[in-house]
Structures are given as structure tokens and as C-alpha cells.
Amino acid sequence: KDINDTLGHHVGDELLTVAAWRLAAIKNSLAAVRLGGDEFALLLPLDSNDEIGVISRHILESLRQQTPAGDHVLTVSASIGVAIAPEHAKDPETLLRRADIALYRAKSMGRNRHEFFSKTLQAEIVRTKRVADEILGGLERNEFCAHYQPQFDARTLEIAGVEALARWNHPREGLLAPDAFLGVAEELNVVA
């Protein structure tokens, strides 16, 4: 998107074409397909997590190579989400969904890395989505309020100010401190 917006769609298309060729050239790849936008999927017959790690690092290095596109030479980063059949799923749709969950984690941990799907990760993503939905509903229902905490001057012990602390009057869980919701609220860009 950044490349399309700054350098034009023709440059973005050239970069996607080069990325597709690099991915298709991955050793032992049974299939390399573009899912849409800048997302691709590879089907690889690998036997171990170590082997997956080696191939993932090779893919990341391949994609990081400088790429001529239009009048520009570009360097891009990538993230990889890994799901393993039949351990994580037997059907292709579920396998792709679980690889996408791992991809989301890889992106959130910083680019140029790979992450494996796990049930723990899935539960965390589901919980984050639930909390995000509840935060948006809570904002509409005015469930958030400020609690004020005085600040004292250490020498005189006089009140020097007041700190406003956000609290969430959750309908089922009661009054929640920021650690229960602030990280998700920041991801949603609903806090300043």
C-alpha cells in the first residue's frame, strides 16, 4: 500500500511480480499463490519445525534482497505465519486461517520473522477480539470513567496536582483497571 501510494501502482505491481517469482523458486514448494494484496501462501512438504525455520529464514532473506522496480530500487520486509497440517488443521480453509493468526502475531512482534500457530495464540487472538468489541460497545454505553488520584509534593506533602486514571465499569466484570484493557484500546486507536 505504501509503495502504491508513494511510487504508483505500476511500481507496486512490479514488486509483487518479483516477490511471486522469488517465492515460486523456493526449493520443494508444491504451490505458491497470491491470496490478495501483498499476501502469499506457500505449500511446503517439511518434516520438522527446524526445517520450517530454515526455509522461513531463507524466504525472508530472499524477499529482503534489493528489488529494481520502475526507476527505483526497493527493499521490503516480510512476515510469515506458519500452520502445519494435519497438526493445526486438516482442511485448507482452516489451515490458512490459522496461518493468518500466526502471521498477525509475526507482524505484531516486528517484521522479518516467522511465527507458528498454536492453540494458546488462537485463544489470545480470540480474547483480544472479544475485548476490542467490548471496548467499542463500552465507549458507546459510556462505561469508561476517570478516577482521580492526588499527587503530593514530597517536601511539603501538599497536593501538587491530580492524576486522572481511566477505569472501565464493565457490565459483567465490575470496575477494571487499565491493565485489563489499555493495550487493546491502544491497538484500536481509541486512546490518546
Side-chain angles (χ1 to χ4, degrees):
K1 183 180 183 329
D2 291 340
I3 290 169
N4 285 345
D5 292 347
T6 58
L7 304 177
H9 288 273
H10 65 287
V11 175
D13 290 346
E14 283 185 49
L15 184 61
L16 287 172
T17 300
V18 171
W21 280 110
R22 288 179 182 170
L23 292 172
I26 297 299
K27 184 180 175 185
N28 298 329
S29 175
L30 299 177
V33 297
R34 181 176 172 211
L35 299 174
D38 62 353
E39 288 192 10
F40 293 85
L42 293 176
L43 180 61
L44 297 163
L46 303 174
D47 294 325
S48 71
N49 286 0
D50 289 340
E51 194 176 3
I52 293 168
V54 168
I55 291 290
S56 294
R57 285 187 292 281
H58 173 70
I59 291 168
L60 293 171
E61 287 172 17
S62 174
L63 293 174
R64 255 195 320 262
Q65 292 177 18
Q66 289 189 333
T67 305
D71 296 333
H72 306 278
V73 176
L74 305 172
T75 304
V76 297
S77 61
S79 301
I80 298 173
V82 178
I84 302 167
E87 180 182 332
H88 298 142
K90 293 179 183 173
D91 65 284
E93 184 179 325
T94 304
L95 197 63
L96 276 173
R97 210 169 41 250
R98 292 185 171 168
D100 200 43
I101 289 170
L103 175 62
Y104 176 79
R105 168 52 58 92
K107 287 179 178 180
S108 73
M109 300 293 289
R111 304 263 176 188
N112 291 317
R113 63 181 301 122
H114 69 278
E115 289 291 328
F116 287 88
F117 170 82
S118 70
K119 292 289 185 183
T120 303
L121 177 57
Q122 182 177 21
E124 183 182 316
I125 298 295
V126 168
R127 180 195 164 282
T128 299
K129 171 71 171 120
R130 179 186 53 79
V131 170
D133 291 343
E134 289 179 356
I135 287 171
L136 294 173
L139 288 168
E140 289 176 9
R141 293 183 299 273
N142 294 316
E143 293 172 356
F144 291 87
C145 61
H147 282 220
Y148 299 96
Q149 176 175 306
Q151 296 176 326
F152 294 92
D153 182 307
R155 285 175 295 206
T156 66
L157 298 180
E158 292 182 13
I159 293 179
V162 177
E163 182 179 19
L165 306 169
R167 297 291 185 264
W168 183 5
N169 191 10
H170 194 280
R172 288 184 316 281
E173 298 180 31
L175 196 62
L176 299 177
D179 64 333
F181 62 87
L182 198 55
V184 177
E186 287 172 341
E187 283 182 34
L188 291 170
N189 289 322
V190 294
V191 293

